[in-house]
Amino acid sequence: MKEGNFITTTLESLIGWARKYSIFQYPFVTACCGMEYMATAASHFDIDRFGAGLTRFTPRQADVLFVVGTISHKLAPVLRKVYEQMTEPKWVVAFGTCTITGGLYDNYAAVQGIDAIIPVDIYIPGCPPRPETVLDALMKLQEKIQREKQKWSLRK
Amino acid sequence: MVLEEVEKEFSLRRAESIDGIPTFYCHRELVLPLMERLKRDFEVLLDITAVDYLGRKEKRFELVYHLLSLSEKMRLRIKVELGEGEKIPTLSFLWKNANWLEREVYDMFGIEFQGHPDLRRILLYPEFKGHPLRKDYPLKKSQPRIKLLRPERE
Amino acid sequence: MMEKMLLNIGPSHPAMHGTIQIKVELDGERIIKADVEIGYLHRGFEKTAENRTYMQIIPYTDRLNYVSPLLNNLAYAMAVEKLLGIDVPPRAKWLRMIFGEISRITDHLTCIAPIGMELGAFTVFLYMIKAREFLWNVLDATTGARLTTSYIRIGGVKADVPENFEDLLRKALEETKKAVRDVHGLLSRNPIFLKRTKDVGVVSQDDALSYGFTGPVLRSTGYYYDVRKAFPYLYYDEVDFEVPLGERGDNYDRYMVRMKEIEQSIRIIEQSLSKMEKGPVKAEDEVAEAYEAIKASQEGKYLDGKLKLNPNLEGMEREVYYKIMARVPRYILPPKEDLYRSIEGMIRHFKLIMSGHGLRPPAGEVYVPVEGGNGELGFYIVSDGTDRPYRLHLRAPVFSIMSALAEMIKGHYIADVIPTFASINMIGGELDR
Ligand code: SF4
């Protein structure tokens, strides 16, 4: 930008813009979908292009929770705890059919959709979803983050 | 041949098998001495599992051991019939992986192993009631550990 | 006075690829006691399988050891074939071998990638995953899926390979060789890597046998056992390959054995490619769409010539179908052209698919093992003569190996848990089923 020029925007959308391109994600990887998650993160598909390359392995520093793979009833309390430990604002991505409906595993062991445990923002279908689908979902998430009413506060 | 010797000594009953693995039925009380004997030739305990013949056979469970002899390049299957509530001695001091394998059988079928050092659930959680691989456990009966936000199934 | 500390690693931990929990009791940084808790990915595979027909189980087997899905397919398909007593045609066998070995390579690549990553060598991860991506392209082109392929079916394989298969495969193998070479350069003599892996997590040969180890982890202790050599199946006795062995059974040996096995698998694939007969040339032109054939068959007519099939069915055309599928009408689905064209084909298809009919093997039980990515992977199936297995059990190699983890990390530093755990290639789907 040349000197003396300026852009007008609302603070709201500025924050949204900043947030959507600096997604710190927490991968909660349990099963086969993790393989595609790895592929998405590696060089061929490169999730870094979307500003979502930085994985934080502690929920306290993450904004987006990627739930990747089947969640069993044994694991359900862990997932909820991880979610509760994340600070606001936070979003959840359900990665793969298992996290959406239980997928192939309609039985005693698997949770039939993680929205029975935690609220979900974006669902990525596929068993496992191809990396292209994941990137598409990521962009949808970014749109959602941009459009949202931003929660923020100035602390004295 | 080891097998013929053992077959006589422990009065095993030969069962037919279509996959070429020699299969024998053994009495519950003779399992321990039999396995101690077999351990000399069969170095690896491949697997322990069970089958639930609810309502089909007189004794409800059949415990299936798969053994592998690396030197003889041979596998062996030993079966033990068990009624509901009947116990069976553990093999965990003969083969170390029997520890976990038996825990799995206990978890899935509720078969108890006498003398097992640490018999508790392995794949499921302690609050779980029942044993899922029994034929009378319904496929879709889940037991959530936490309160769910919505019912799982309609 | 020493003070003990209890530390909980997992279930959701960055270095736990997959979910397990290790509770360790520490004296300073040394582990004095460890307790491994598994089952977080227990998905009820065995119970579900009892409620599915034989054909429906194939997709589930993909998701057991999901880094080498085709080897699981293979073990299951071979078990059911044994039960049915059918033999598969030679071309299908070669294809099974090629794809099985591709799967083994992806397995080992995906095992070594995190070892590198967790020990601070992120480049290794990127190189390995890159090579895997090329291999997956081959799978994608042939099977239509990257990971969960369900390619190996009962009686043969799903489809013949596409025309550019050899080029794709050779390119992928080149890339793999390059990645392996690079990783050798990065890790194999790297002092940091050696410090973290040499003489760490040692397993003696006796312990390994007593724990029921098989596969690369057993071979790393120097014990020569490979199902492909000891009980040859497919055409493994017709190709020439070595079984790499380790010496001490530590993390480094496990890494090295896997690296060498990748090279051997490449050898097997190359030999299979040259030994397999060339695929039939597809010459005929397509004459009609499938729906036209169906319409004609409703009027009792039979439409001659080649049909235009859905692109998903590429490689399943009638002229190649019986080269890749056993010709056993009782058990094997008819080619799609027959299904669309004639009422007999339709009936045959329905009889095999409809619930209550389906594939009904004779009563009996089988245990069929193959050499999986982690060792002897066997399916134990009990059939009672209906269209669903009465009992289906997977002999998971990694289950036995994991039961030794607590002992393997005992006495070591807490940081050694990471390479030790990574080097045994724990796969949740196979471990917990
Ligand atoms: S959605 Fe499919 S690929 Fe993903 S975890 Fe579930 S079964 Fe595995």
Side-chain angles (χ1 to χ4, degrees):
Chain A
M1 206 190 300
K2 271 210 206 112
E3 216 178 308
N5 288 0
F6 58 89
I7 295 177
T8 55
T9 177
T10 57
L11 187 58
E12 185 91 5
S13 72
L14 180 70
I15 294 175
W17 175 82
R19 277 184 177 154
K20 79 173 174 183
Y21 286 126
S22 61
I23 292 175
F24 284 20
Q25 31 144 336
Y26 179 93
F28 193 88
V29 177
T30 65
C32 2
C33 275
M35 297 299 114
E36 283 293 24
Y37 175 80
M38 275 157 88
T40 318
S43 31
H44 260 67
F45 294 95
D46 195 7
I47 205 169
D48 227 355
R49 292 177 292 163
F50 303 88
L54 203 58
T55 43
R56 300 276 75 195
F57 282 110
T58 151
R60 292 178 187 81
Q61 298 169 357
D63 332 294
V64 175
L65 175 65
F66 267 78
V67 185
V68 184
T70 326
I71 303 298
S72 64
H73 279 293
K74 186 168 183 174
L75 197 61
V78 182
L79 179 60
R80 181 171 287 168
K81 189 166 231 163
V82 166
Y83 177 75
E84 281 165 358
Q85 283 177 348
M86 288 171 68
T87 50
E88 292 281 351
K90 56 186 169 187
W91 298 273
V92 176
V93 177
F95 190 118
T97 328
C98 275
T99 53
I100 303 176
T101 63
L104 270 81
Y105 298 94
D106 186 3
N107 57 26
Y108 63 92
V111 178
Q112 304 300 300
I114 57 161
D115 44 14
I117 311 170
I118 53 174
V120 178
D121 294 274
I122 299 278
Y123 297 89
I124 313 179
C127 184
R130 294 176 73 97
E132 295 90 338
T133 329
V134 181
L135 296 180
D136 182 41
L138 195 66
M139 290 193 281
K140 294 242 158 58
L141 179 69
Q142 288 177 332
E143 261 169 50
K144 181 172 178 169
I145 294 176
Q146 174 81 70
R147 269 190 281 113
E148 242 168 40
K149 172 128 190 51
Q150 305 296 341
K151 294 180 210 136
W152 60 279
S153 71
L154 284 176
R155 282 261 225 75
K156 268 177 263 146
Chain B
M1 261 311 273
V2 200
L3 284 185
E4 276 141 29
E5 261 175 52
V6 174
E7 192 179 346
K8 279 220 193 72
E9 194 183 330
F10 294 91
S11 57
L12 301 177
R13 182 155 57 86
R14 196 182 258 273
E16 63 175 315
S17 73
I18 48 178
D19 54 357
I21 300 177
T23 307
F24 295 99
Y25 277 97
C26 169
H27 191 267
R28 179 165 63 98
E29 254 125 54
L30 293 176
V31 169
L32 204 54
L34 171 71
M35 290 296 178
E36 265 167 357
R37 168 72 189 79
L38 286 175
K39 171 102 204 285
R40 277 186 250 154
D41 298 285
F42 291 82
E43 302 94 330
V44 178
L45 172 67
L46 282 175
D47 203 10
I48 305 178
T49 188
V51 187
D52 178 7
Y53 289 103
L54 179 66
R56 296 191 179 210
K57 289 198 181 173
E58 204 180 311
K59 296 225 175 181
R60 178 169 181 180
F61 297 109
E62 216 167 68
L63 210 59
V64 187
Y65 296 90
H66 281 103
L67 304 178
L68 169 69
S69 160
L70 292 166
S71 40
E72 302 258 343
K73 291 219 171 67
M74 182 175 137
R75 297 199 175 82
L76 177 65
R77 186 184 293 134
I78 301 286
K79 292 179 157 195
V80 184
E81 291 173 316
L82 282 180
E84 175 100 62
E86 275 180 338
K87 293 184 183 168
I88 183 141
T90 174
L91 302 182
S92 52
F93 54 90
L94 283 176
W95 286 283
K96 290 185 182 172
N97 63 340
N99 187 331
W100 275 30
L101 289 168
E102 285 170 356
R103 275 175 71 185
E104 190 196 327
V105 174
Y106 166 70
D107 192 355
M108 293 289 138
F109 291 92
I111 296 172
E112 286 190 32
F113 292 85
Q114 272 167 334
H116 191 287
D118 183 22
L119 197 64
R120 59 198 160 94
R121 286 191 181 274
I122 185 165
L123 294 179
L124 291 161
Y125 32 97
E127 306 93 292
F128 197 90
K129 290 205 178 57
H131 301 279
L133 277 181
R134 288 185 173 205
K135 288 283 174 189
D136 49 8
Y137 191 91
L139 173 65
K140 297 190 184 172
K141 185 179 166 210
S142 59
Q143 306 186 14
R145 297 173 91 180
I146 48 173
K147 204 171 166 309
L148 299 179
L149 302 179
R150 61 165 172 83
E152 268 198 295
R153 296 181 178 85
E154 262 91 64
Chain C
M1 197 199 86
M2 75 168 193
E3 211 171 308
K4 280 191 216 147
M5 187 168 91
L6 220 74
L7 193 72
N8 185 17
I9 313 175
S12 181
H13 183 272
M16 301 284 123
H17 21 96
T19 36
I20 71 160
Q21 184 183 19
I22 308 177
K23 287 175 244 165
V24 287
E25 222 176 283
L26 294 175
D27 165 24
E29 280 203 46
R30 266 198 203 278
I31 296 166
I32 37 184
K33 211 175 135 220
D35 183 23
V36 179
E37 172 80 29
I38 64 166
Y40 289 101
L41 191 57
H42 178 62
R43 301 190 273 199
F45 162 68
E46 289 174 11
K47 181 89 177 171
T48 314
E50 286 172 15
N51 292 280
R52 298 282 183 274
T53 61
Y54 282 95
M55 279 188 234
Q56 285 173 338
I57 294 169
I58 291 198
Y60 287 92
T61 60
D62 279 331
R63 289 153 181 84
L64 291 170
N65 186 338
Y66 37 77
V67 292
S68 53
L70 286 144
L71 290 168
N72 298 267
N73 286 172
L74 177 64
Y76 174 71
M78 279 176 47
V80 179
E81 280 154 15
K82 185 105 181 214
L83 208 51
L84 298 170
I86 56 181
D87 197 23
V88 297
R91 188 172 173 81
K93 281 193 187 165
W94 285 116
L95 285 175
R96 282 177 170 195
M97 262 173 80
I98 293 178
F99 282 95
E101 292 304 318
I102 291 181
S103 231
R104 191 182 321 281
I105 298 176
T106 57
D107 177 287
H108 291 351
L109 291 175
T110 321
C111 168
I112 292 165
I115 301 185
M117 180 174 77
E118 280 148 19
L119 299 184
F122 194 68
T123 331
V124 172
F125 177 80
L126 294 176
Y127 283 1
M128 291 304 208
I129 299 296
K130 186 175 149 211
R132 187 181 78 173
E133 206 66 42
F134 283 102
L135 290 164
W136 276 6
N137 279 346
V138 182
L139 296 185
D140 200 359
T142 314
T143 70
R146 287 154 55 85
L147 176 66
T148 45
T149 56
S150 301
Y151 177 65
I152 296 175
R153 305 272 169 95
I154 299 164
V157 296
K158 181 212 157 206
D160 207 338
V161 292
E163 265 155 52
N164 59 348
F165 172 72
E166 254 197 76
D167 301 336
L168 273 178
L169 183 55
R170 290 210 191 272
K171 163 112 175 79
L173 294 183
E174 271 321 302
E175 290 290 335
T176 313
K177 281 182 199 162
K178 221 160 70 195
V180 170
R181 206 166 50 231
D182 287 346
V183 170
H184 267 308
L186 282 168
L187 288 185
S188 298
R189 284 190 304 277
N190 180 334
I192 303 175
F193 184 71
L194 292 183
K195 274 243 163 75
R196 301 277 314 261
T197 54
K198 272 226 158 132
D199 295 320
V200 178
V202 181
V203 188
S204 72
Q205 218 172 72
D206 287 343
D207 268 354
L209 290 178
S210 175
Y211 270 116
F213 283 18
T214 42
V217 185
L218 174 65
R219 295 195 282 274
S220 75
T221 65
Y223 202 98
Y224 184 92
Y225 174 66
D226 186 319
V227 186
R228 291 172 295 175
K229 287 277 190 200
F231 305 92
Y233 52 97
L234 299 180
Y235 289 131
Y236 278 111
D237 44 356
E238 285 184 27
V239 291
D240 188 28
F241 67 103
E242 280 152 32
V243 179
L245 296 180
E247 282 161 16
R248 291 177 307 269
D250 56 3
N251 290 339
Y252 184 76
D253 277 357
R254 287 194 278 275
Y255 153 80
M256 217 49 188
V257 165
R258 285 214 164 82
M259 288 292 270
K260 286 183 188 152
E261 268 185 25
I262 295 180
E263 285 157 23
Q264 295 304 322
S265 292
I266 294 177
R267 268 182 73 193
I268 297 177
I269 295 177
E270 281 168 349
Q271 290 174 51
S272 309
L273 266 182
S274 58
K275 289 199 176 183
M276 185 173 72
E277 55 170 318
K278 289 270 168 292
V281 204
K282 298 163 198 164
E284 270 179 278
D285 274 337
E286 291 142 355
V287 292
E289 300 261 2
Y291 73 90
E292 289 170 332
I294 296 177
K295 240 191 209 149
S297 84
Q298 281 167 351
E299 291 158 13
K301 275 184 281 186
Y302 185 89
L303 222 52
D304 237 356
K306 193 175 167 187
L307 288 190
K308 196 165 165 193
L309 292 178
N310 184 314
N312 286 338
L313 302 176
E314 207 175 303
M316 297 173 80
E317 295 86 1
R318 194 164 48 166
E319 69 255 36
V320 296
Y321 194 72
Y322 286 117
K323 295 222 184 263
I324 53 164
M325 269 287 180
R327 203 178 203 128
V328 189
R330 253 183 81 196
Y331 296 133
I332 306 298
L333 290 177
K336 288 288 172 292
E337 277 102 329
D338 287 3
L339 164 68
Y340 294 143
R341 243 186 215 140
S342 64
I343 195 72
E344 291 75 27
M346 184 75 97
I347 290 171
R348 248 178 80 196
H349 186 93
F350 255 58
K351 280 289 249 187
L352 283 172
I353 294 287
M354 252 189 324
S355 86
H357 294 262
L359 200 73
R360 292 153 176 265
E365 57 184 357
V366 287
Y367 170 82
V368 177
V370 302
E371 177 74 23
N374 280 328
E376 177 163 333
L377 180 97
F379 274 92
Y380 174 62
I381 302 180
V382 180
S383 153
D384 61 348
T386 58
D387 59 339
R388 282 141 216 251
Y390 188 71
R391 170 96 173 90
L392 188 149
H393 176 74
L394 172 75
R395 193 267 161 189
V398 87
F399 188 84
S400 291
I401 299 172
M402 277 300 289
S403 64
L405 182 65
E407 209 175 297
M408 279 157 80
I409 57 178
K410 208 154 94 186
H412 286 293
Y413 290 117
I414 179 92
D416 294 334
V417 173
I418 305 302
T420 309
F421 178 66
S423 74
I424 61 181
N425 195 16
M426 192 285 286
I427 301 298
E430 183 182 301
L431 177 70
D432 301 337
R433 280 152 285 151

